Amino acid sequence: MVDYIRAEFYKLFHRRYFYLALLFLFGCAALLVAGWAFTNSNGNTIDFNSGGSMAILLLSVGLYAPVIVGDLVFSEQYKANTMKNEVSFGLPRSRIYLGKLLVSVIVGVVAAVAVLAFYELLCWLFLLPSAPGEVEQVLRMVGYGILVALPQWLGMLAVNMMLSFLLRSTTLAAFLSIGVIVLPQTLFKLLGLLINDVFAKAAEWMPTAIVEAVQSHMFDWSFLAGSVIAGAVWFVAATAVGLAVFQRREIS
């Protein structure tokens, strides 16, 4: 497994797409801070508290990042016939599936933390704190937000990886992954209005709803525990289904 993971990282780090994706994410963070700094130069007063804590509101955007991470790691393997080569070579399918999943988890977590840290650093450099202890307080809030959002990100990453393995089209897998993020919550909300409040309660524990509710549950450790459980259910269920179907799938 270690050799397979090392090989996957080697392929990933030798793809231009990987560096372009990182550059895009860091560029978005820099552009956002540049916008705050520009408005300040024109009379506004956006300090570190306002700009730094804005990261909490952007955590839900991270739910769509697994589509990029999954595509980076899976890398059109059915289209390029590299999956057939790996299976024909005699590699266990469980090693192929879990190896790619583990690499995508590592890449996704490191990239998310790096981009958020870069954003907060820029905010600290260009948006000065307005009160003592403000930086520490904002970073604690953002850190708690990451802890809540991370299980949902990983759950959606496992869903994307499952769809990537089960479908020949990575484009279709990407669209269906976005559908999983958006549609269940919308459906449960609608059923809650039409049938029973139980569905409305279920909607509150969908990935997007959990991440968007971070600010209203700040430092609520029971809410964090609920997020961990919900994310683990998505992750384990998607991995179990994806691995079971991939084990029996004919690769041509």
Side-chain angles (χ1 to χ4, degrees):
M1 176 65 83
V2 174
D3 290 337
Y4 184 82
I5 291 173
R6 187 182 295 115
E8 286 295 306
F9 275 119
Y10 179 85
K11 289 192 299 182
L12 179 66
F13 293 152
H14 283 76
R15 294 189 69 199
R16 184 179 300 177
Y17 178 25
F18 172 70
Y19 298 100
L20 290 176
L22 285 180
L23 183 62
F24 173 76
L25 293 174
F26 282 111
C28 287
L31 185 63
L32 186 56
V33 177
W36 304 141
F38 177 77
T39 57
N40 282 349
S41 67
N42 286 275
N44 287 340
T45 54
I46 299 177
D47 58 10
F48 182 84
N49 181 58
S50 300
S53 60
M54 184 65 65
I56 299 172
L57 300 178
L58 299 174
L59 290 174
S60 58
V61 178
L63 288 170
Y64 301 92
V67 175
I68 299 176
V69 175
D71 186 43
L72 278 170
V73 175
F74 198 79
S75 185
E76 295 277 9
Q77 290 214 253
Y78 288 126
K79 184 176 180 180
N81 280 329
T82 52
M83 181 66 72
K84 180 180 179 180
N85 295 338
E86 290 185 11
V87 173
S88 300
F89 187 72
L91 292 174
R93 296 197 181 198
S94 59
R95 183 185 304 172
I96 296 172
Y97 191 102
L98 296 177
K100 293 185 189 303
L101 178 61
L102 182 57
V103 169
S104 66
V105 167
I106 295 172
V107 171
V109 171
V110 171
V113 173
V115 171
L116 286 170
F118 177 70
Y119 173 78
E120 296 298 333
L121 175 62
L122 292 181
C123 286
W124 179 71
L125 290 174
F126 296 101
L127 309 176
L128 297 178
S130 60
E134 184 176 88
V135 173
E136 292 79 2
Q137 177 63 19
V138 170
L139 292 182
R140 282 197 295 269
M141 293 169 62
V142 173
Y144 172 81
I146 294 174
L147 291 177
V148 172
L150 186 59
Q152 307 312 311
W153 293 346
L154 295 181
M156 294 303 98
L157 181 57
V159 168
N160 178 263
M161 191 57 62
M162 173 192 71
L163 293 171
S164 297
F165 268 95
L166 302 187
L167 301 172
R168 294 194 63 85
S169 170
T170 54
T171 302
L172 180 58
F175 277 110
L176 288 179
S177 296
I178 294 172
V180 171
I181 296 170
V182 175
L183 294 180
Q185 179 180 341
T186 303
L187 178 61
F188 281 136
K189 282 184 177 180
L190 181 60
L191 291 176
L193 291 173
L194 298 177
I195 300 177
N196 193 287
D197 287 343
V198 173
F199 294 104
K201 291 293 183 182
E204 295 175 1
W205 289 102
M206 293 295 102
T208 303
I210 291 175
V211 178
E212 289 178 346
V214 167
Q215 275 198 316
S216 58
H217 292 85
M218 189 59 62
F219 303 122
D220 182 345
W221 304 109
S222 62
F223 180 73
L224 172 60
S227 176
V228 171
I229 293 172
V233 169
W234 280 104
F235 190 92
V236 172
T239 301
V241 171
L243 186 56
V245 176
F246 180 62
Q247 291 279 19
R248 296 190 294 271
R249 177 174 183 172
E250 181 180 350
I251 309 297
S252 58

